[in-house]
């Protein structure tokens, strides 16, 4: 059974940085595309960073492009999200998700494409 566990959330001032980690256990990590999603209260989950199973392809929405970086460490079965120049609108619950893929270079961006979700970690950005 695949399990996903996030860590690294917290509070930061605008302009600060945080690094999230997502440990995946069970399954074959190299077959998973991985995504980080943000969910604000009462709103749907939106992808903020996605990496293909191969680790070679990434995707970001315009709102975080140039500030967030996703990376996949197959040896550690962990995916990271480096968040720089944080803004108040980046606050929310960040969830990590795994999507088993036959096409190693595909990067799923919709929540419905993901099979396994973590519990989430909270990010607060305020002065």
């Amino acid at each position: 059974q695949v399990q996903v566990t996030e860590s690294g959330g917290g509070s930061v001032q605008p302009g600060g940085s945080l690094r999230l980690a997502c440990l995946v256990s069970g399954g074959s990590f190299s077959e998973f595309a991985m995504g980080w999603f943000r969910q604000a209260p009462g709103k749907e989950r939106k992808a903020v960073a996605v990496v293909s199973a191969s680790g070679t392809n990434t995707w970001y929405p315009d709102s975080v492009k140039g500030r967030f970086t996703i990376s996949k460490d197959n040896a550690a079965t962990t995916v990271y999200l480096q968040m720089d120049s944080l803004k108040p609108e980046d606050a929310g619950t960040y969830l990590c998700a795994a999507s088993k893929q036959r096409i190693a270079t595909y990067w799923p961006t919709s929540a419905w494409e993901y099979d396994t979700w973590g519990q989430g970690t909270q990010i607060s950005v305020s002065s």
Side-chain angles (χ1 to χ4, degrees), residues 26-40:
S28 180
F29 184 72
S30 63
E31 296 181 347
F32 294 135
M34 299 296 300
W36 284 98
F37 289 74
R38 179 173 64 233
Q39 186 165 29

Side-chain angles (χ1 to χ4, degrees), residues 35-122:
W36 284 98
F37 289 74
R38 179 173 64 233
Q39 186 165 29
K43 298 199 174 181
E44 66 178 305
R45 298 172 181 179
K46 294 284 185 68
V48 296
V50 173
V51 61
S52 61
S54 64
T56 56
N57 296 335
T58 57
W59 174 90
Y60 307 91
D62 288 343
S63 59
V64 309
K65 200 172 292 182
R67 301 188 296 119
F68 288 14
T69 304
I70 188 170
S71 59
K72 191 172 186 265
D73 185 339
N74 283 345
T77 67
T78 300
V79 62
Y80 301 97
L81 182 65
Q82 177 67 39
M83 303 184 291
D84 299 317
S85 302
L86 282 161
K87 303 176 180 180
E89 54 263 41
D90 294 322
T93 301
Y94 280 69
L95 301 107
C96 180
S99 173
K100 190 170 183 179
Q101 292 294 325
R102 292 184 177 181
I103 301 174
T105 54
Y106 176 64
W107 59 94
T109 60
S110 299
W112 64 265
E113 297 182 271
Y114 287 80
D115 316 297
T116 306
W117 293 81
Q119 293 297 311
T121 185
Q122 293 290 328

